[in-house]
Amino acid sequence: MIRDRLRYHAPADVETACRILGDSPSAAVIGGGTIAVPRLGRGELRADDIVHLSRAGLAEVVLSEGELRIGSMVTYAGLLATPGIEQLNPLLCTVARGITGGDQIRNQGTLGGSICHANPASDVPTALVALRARLVLHSIEGEREVPAGEFLRGGFQADIRPGEILTHILVRPVDRSGYHKFKLSESSWPIVTAAATLTHDRQCHVVLGGVEPVPVRIDLSQIVGTESTIRELVAATVRPTWSDALAPAEYRHLISGEIAARAVAQLGGV
Amino acid sequence: MSKLDSQDVPGRRITVTVNGVERRAWCADRTLLAHFVREQLALPGTHVGCMNGDCGACTVIVDGAIVKSCLQLAAAADGAEITTVEGLGEPGNLHPVQEAFWAEDGFQCGFCLPGHLLVALKLAEQQGDPSEEEIRAALAGNLCRCTGYQSIVAAVQRAIRQTEGT
Ligand SMILES: Cc1cc2nc3c(=O)[nH]c(=O)nc-3n(C[C@H](O)[C@H](O)[C@H](O)COP(=O)(O)OP(=O)(O)OC[C@H]3O[C@@H](n4cnc5c(N)ncnc54)[C@H](O)[C@@H]3O)c2cc1C
Ligand code: FES
Ligand code: FES
C-alpha cells in the first residue's frame, strides 16, 4: 500500500493539470501508472498530490498533414487499435505488440509514460529516437517542443521541467523500418534494443538502446550495407556505458552489433 | 481503503458497477484498486501477489479491458464497470470458463486462478480460434507457480470450445 497521504486529481483538461502541478509543493504525474503506482507503494516516488491524466483528453491518435499526433495517454493497445496504424507506423506497432506483461500492461501502459521514465532498457525511447519524434510539453508558462533525442538526458533522466507534462508525441512516417530486441525470456526486460530506419530521402540509420544511458544513433548511409560492416561499425561506435541488473555494460556492447544487424536486415536490403 | 486507513486521509466516495451491481463506497485516494475491491467491496476473490504488475493474480476487467488492479488507484475507477472473478459463477453454478479449469485441473493452489479465469474469459469472448501459441501469448501476463501451464492451456482451449457451444 501507499504510505503517503496523497490527494488524487483527475483534471478534465491540460490547463487544470498544469495548474495543480504548479500549485502543489510535491506533485507527481501518473499516466498509465504501471511504473509510477508500484514506485509510490515502495516509497521510491513520494507525493502529496497525484495528477492523473486519464480524463485530460490526451488518449487520442490523430493524423494531420501526414504527421501522427499521439496523445501522451495513448496505451500500447490504444495505438494498435488505431485504424490504419500498421501502414502509418509499423515500427511503433512492432514495439507495442512486443511489450511484455500481457494484454493488461498493453491496456494500461502508455508510450508517453515510457519515454518520460527514460529507462535505457525500455522499447519506446529507442523507437521514438529512431523516428525523430518530437515531444510536446505543456506548463502554465506555455508549450515547447523537444526532439526525442534531446529529451532523453541520461538513464532515467528526461528533460521534464517542474510543472510540465508531456501532452503529445509527434511522428512522421519513414519509408521502411525494422526493430529487434534481445531479451532473456518471454517476460524479461529488453537488454539491447535496435530500431533501423530508411527515410524517403534514402538515409539509413540504426538507433541502439540499452547500451549507453541514452539511445545512440548511427548513420549507415556511408557504408555498404553488409551485415559484417554494420556489426563492426556499431561495435566501434557505441561505448559500454550502461548496465543494469540483467546484464553488464560489456555484454551489452558485445551483442550490440548483432542486434543492430538484425534490425537492419528487416529493412530488406539497403 | 486499506485496513490501516480511516477517513482522516484524503479520500472520496466513488461509484462503480461491479459484476452488474452498482456500488458506492468510500476510498482513500491512495488506495489501490486491488485493495478497494478486496476490502472495501468485500470481494476477496481478486488476489494480490507481487504489487508490481508482474504476476497477474490481481487481474480484473475495467470497462471491457483486462487490467492489473495493483497498478491502478481506486479513485481512477470512479464510474467504471468492473468484473471480478466473483462475477463469473458460484459453487454449484460455475461459469463455462470455470468448468473448463475444473475439468482440466487448470489450477493447484489456486492463487493465480482469478487472473487466469478473467484472461480466459476475454479470450473466449473474442471471435476466432486461437492457436496454442496465441493462447500462451495471451496468458503471458499471468504467472503460475504450481501447474507448469500445460493444464492451464488445456483449460483455456476447453473454455473456448465450451463457449462456442453456448
Ligand atoms: C509486467 C510489466 C511488463 C513490462 N514490459 C515492458 C516491456 O516489455 N518493454 C518496456 O519498454 N516497458 C515495459 N514495462 C514498463 C512500463 O510499464 C511501460 O513501458 C509503460 O509504457 C509505462 O507507461 P505508464 O503510462 O504506465 O507510466 P507511468 O507509470 O504512469 O509513469 C512513468 C513515469 O513517467 C511520468 N509520466 C507519465 N506520463 C507523463 C506525462 N504525460 N507527462 C509527464 N510525466 C509523465 C510519471 O510521473 C512517472 O515518473 C513493463 C511493465 C510491467 C509492469
Ligand atoms: S499483484 Fe498485481 S500483478 Fe501481481
Ligand atoms: S495454481 Fe498455484 S500459482 Fe497457479
Side-chain angles (χ1 to χ4, degrees), chain A residues 5-29:
Chain A
R5 302 161 72 90
L6 50 83
R7 200 173 290 281
Y8 174 85
H9 309 264
D13 54 67
V14 169
E15 293 306 324
T16 316
C18 290
R19 201 153 2 94
I20 300 166
L21 271 186
D23 288 348
S24 169
S26 116
V29 176

Side-chain angles (χ1 to χ4, degrees), chain B residues 13 23 25 33 37 57-58 75 82-83 106 112 114 118 121 123-124 128 142 160:
Chain B
R13 287 203 157 271
R23 302 274 303 265
L33 180 59
V37 165
C58 66
I82 301 173
T83 304
C112 67
L118 291 171
L121 177 74
L123 207 55
N142 293 71
I160 290 165

Side-chain angles (χ1 to χ4, degrees), chain B residues 80-133:
Chain B
E81 244 180 75
I82 301 173
T83 304
T84 69
V85 67
E86 287 90 346
L88 289 182
E90 56 204 3
N93 183 28
L94 294 182
H95 186 279
V97 173
Q98 289 169 309
E99 290 282 6
F101 273 75
W102 180 255
E104 296 288 348
D105 287 332
F107 58 97
Q108 288 177 30
C109 80
F111 193 84
C112 67
L113 185 59
H116 277 113
L117 286 171
L118 291 171
V119 173
L121 177 74
K122 276 312 273 186
L123 207 55
E125 280 173 0
Q126 280 160 18
Q127 298 295 318
D129 186 15
S131 64
E132 179 179 336
E133 199 183 330

Side-chain angles (χ1 to χ4, degrees), chain A residues 201-255:
Chain A
D201 56 2
R202 314 318 288 167
Q203 301 232 22
C204 183
H205 289 192
V206 66
V207 171
L208 280 143
V211 186
E212 294 190 16
V214 295
V216 192
R217 174 181 291 279
I218 299 170
D219 186 349
L220 301 178
S221 308
Q222 306 308 314
I223 61 163
V224 185
T226 66
E227 286 192 17
S228 62
T229 49
I230 291 170
R231 285 195 196 89
E232 283 157 23
L233 179 65
V234 169
T237 311
V238 298
R239 294 159 303 139
T241 49
W242 182 255
S243 63
D244 68 18
L246 288 181
E250 294 71 25
Y251 180 77
R252 294 162 186 276
H253 180 252
L254 201 66
I255 64 170

Side-chain angles (χ1 to χ4, degrees), chain A residues 114-172:
Chain A
S114 181
I115 189 113
C116 288
H117 191 51
N119 182 346
S122 289
D123 292 286
V124 167
T126 306
L128 291 185
V129 170
L131 291 166
R132 295 193 188 279
R134 286 167 300 130
L135 306 174
V136 182
L137 295 143
H138 201 100
S139 74
I140 42 174
E141 267 127 52
E143 207 163 84
R144 65 187 178 109
E145 232 180 74
V146 187
E150 291 170 28
F151 180 71
L152 297 164
R153 289 276 178 84
F156 298 99
Q157 286 168 35
D159 176 20
I160 308 177
R161 298 176 189 158
E164 264 185 346
I165 61 173
L166 171 70
T167 60
H168 295 91
I169 300 167
L170 311 177
V171 278
R172 292 200 165 278

Side-chain angles (χ1 to χ4, degrees), chain B residues 47-59 68-71 141:
Chain B
H47 290 168
V48 177
C50 64
M51 302 262 284
N52 198 40
D54 291 311
C55 75
C58 66
T59 299
K68 293 181 177 174
S69 60
C70 70
L71 301 177

